[in-house]
Amino acid sequence: MTLANESISGEFILLGFSDRPWLELPLFVLFLVSYILTIFGNMTIILVSRLDSKLHTPMYFFLTNLSLLDLCYTTSTVPQMLVNICSSRKVISYGGCVVQLFIFLALGSTECLLLGVMSFDRFVAICQPLHYSVIMHQRRCLQLVAVCWISGFSNSVLQSTWTLEMPRCGHKKVDHFFCEVPALLKLSCVDTTANEAELFFISVLFLLIPVTLILISYAFIVQAVLRIRSAEGRRKAFGTCGSHLIVVVLFYGTAIYMYLQPPSPASKDRGKMVSLFYGIITPMLNPLIYTLRNKEVKGAFKRLVIRVFLIKK
């Protein structure tokens, strides 16, 4: 009871790269620029997708959810990271750590499933185009997104509870930029083999299974695209699917490295840098990848800008 009270009333020290102070200024600039681009890019996609009736399709419905996830995902960690880099006391309260852990884990798990749903949507659109409107109707899209969100938050409740229940015996120094399960497990003063096994099993469910289904979907998609006679049609299909695959490789590749790799002291710094990819870089790149390679989004954005300009006049 004493240990529990001590943990709840205390705070954690987020070490990050505090042993290498020369890295702090470049990291601060990287985090700040990435966060600003993430906010602007994802807010743009949400507004354009909602305000332009031409984008009221399943693909952009899922993309809007992805943008909302990325907004909340980065906001749960980056502001605190920026504050800590500028401060000599790199701390976070116990309550703040709990909230950060829960939200980051919930939204990350949701995104793992949502990217799988988005690949299924592209599979149906390209491989079953005549049945697309029947298969991906509005109710089914809502059901798929609801399953992603509910599963993600349920996973977070379980993993956050298991992680925070581990006795830490006064250990407060988290060798990371933010409160994440692998980093917090290292604070435990008891055997964490069972927790690591549970984390591995859940990571297989939320990482390996979705990415395997995505790759299978895209194998069928490539076959279907190669049968398209029009060169323009093949180019457009590969362009849309290529954007999604870039996101998949960046997000799942780095997350798998972090959560499915056996713990190793030698790889702790690499683990911190890798976590920045799925925690900061990928949410920033998502809107750039989906908009710069997408004529529909760029056209909708131009129409929105013209509409706002005309209203002001």
Side-chain angles (χ1 to χ4, degrees):
M1 180 64 72
T2 304
L3 284 174
N5 289 337
E6 180 186 345
S7 296
I8 292 173
S9 62
E11 58 189 14
F12 291 103
I13 301 170
L14 298 171
L15 296 178
F17 282 117
S18 55
D19 57 334
R20 300 174 189 178
W22 58 272
L23 271 176
E24 292 192 338
L25 180 58
L27 286 174
F28 179 85
V29 174
L30 173 66
F31 295 166
L32 182 60
V33 172
S34 299
Y35 187 55
I36 292 171
L37 291 176
T38 299
I39 297 293
F40 177 76
N42 286 291
M43 282 296 296
T44 299
I45 287 182
I46 293 172
L47 289 173
V48 168
S49 298
R50 291 298 88 205
L51 296 177
D52 195 303
S53 58
K54 291 184 179 180
L55 300 185
H56 291 178
T57 63
M59 176 181 173
Y60 295 103
F61 172 68
F62 296 134
L63 185 55
T64 300
N65 275 269
L66 179 64
S67 294
L68 178 61
L69 275 172
D70 286 339
L71 273 176
C72 301
Y73 192 55
T74 52
T75 301
S76 68
T77 57
V78 177
Q80 181 69 50
M81 290 160 65
L82 292 172
V83 170
N84 282 353
I85 287 178
C86 295
S87 172
S88 57
R89 293 188 71 248
K90 305 179 186 303
V91 299
I92 184 172
S93 66
Y94 178 84
C97 186
V98 171
V99 172
Q100 191 177 81
L101 174 68
F102 176 78
I103 293 176
F104 187 81
L105 190 55
L107 299 179
S109 302
T110 303
E111 184 160 341
C112 289
L113 301 180
L114 183 61
L115 288 172
V117 169
M118 292 175 73
S119 73
F120 175 71
D121 173 67
R122 292 300 85 207
F123 165 75
V124 176
I126 294 173
C127 299
Q128 302 288 334
L130 299 179
H131 300 94
Y132 181 73
S133 59
V134 176
I135 297 173
M136 300 304 293
H137 53 79
Q138 185 179 20
R139 184 178 178 187
R140 177 156 292 152
C141 292
L142 289 170
Q143 289 171 339
L144 289 170
V145 166
V147 168
C148 293
W149 284 90
I150 292 170
S151 300
F153 275 79
S154 299
N155 173 51
S156 183
V157 169
L158 291 174
Q159 283 207 59
S160 299
T161 302
W162 292 336
T163 303
L164 294 168
E165 281 181 345
M166 298 296 291
R168 291 180 293 277
C169 303
H171 297 161
K172 297 180 179 181
K173 293 183 179 180
V174 181
D175 196 10
H176 210 320
F177 293 103
F178 52 89
C179 293
E180 194 174 15
V181 174
L184 289 175
L185 283 179
K186 292 177 183 177
L187 299 185
S188 178
C189 55
V190 298
D191 183 27
T192 60
T193 303
N195 292 73
E196 289 169 5
E198 290 165 349
L199 178 62
F200 183 86
F201 175 73
I202 292 175
S203 297
V204 168
L205 291 180
F206 279 84
L207 290 170
L208 280 188
I209 292 178
V211 80
T212 301
L213 295 176
I214 289 171
L215 293 177
I216 292 172
S217 297
Y218 275 93
F220 285 108
I221 287 172
V222 169
Q223 288 181 347
V225 169
L226 292 175
R227 289 197 295 267
I228 298 175
R229 294 182 181 180
S230 164
E232 177 65 20
R234 286 197 300 270
R235 188 194 63 77
K236 184 177 179 182
F238 274 127
T240 302
C241 298
S243 300
H244 189 199
L245 278 176
I246 292 171
V247 174
V248 166
V249 170
L250 285 173
F251 183 79
Y252 285 101
T254 52
I256 287 171
Y257 178 91
M258 188 69 179
Y259 281 85
L260 293 177
Q261 180 186 236
S264 169
S267 64
K268 64 177 184 177
D269 284 348
R270 276 193 309 233
K272 286 185 231 178
M273 296 305 295
V274 163
S275 68
L276 298 181
F277 274 88
Y278 60 79
I280 297 176
I281 305 300
T282 303
M284 176 193 69
L285 292 179
N286 279 347
L288 296 176
I289 289 170
Y290 280 108
T291 54
L292 291 179
R293 296 176 59 89
N294 193 312
K295 291 181 179 178
E296 292 177 332
V297 175
K298 287 190 285 189
F301 181 71
K302 288 177 184 176
R303 289 192 294 272
L304 179 60
V305 170
I306 291 171
R307 194 187 312 170
V308 171
F309 180 74
L310 290 175
I311 290 173
K312 285 185 177 180
K313 290 187 83 176

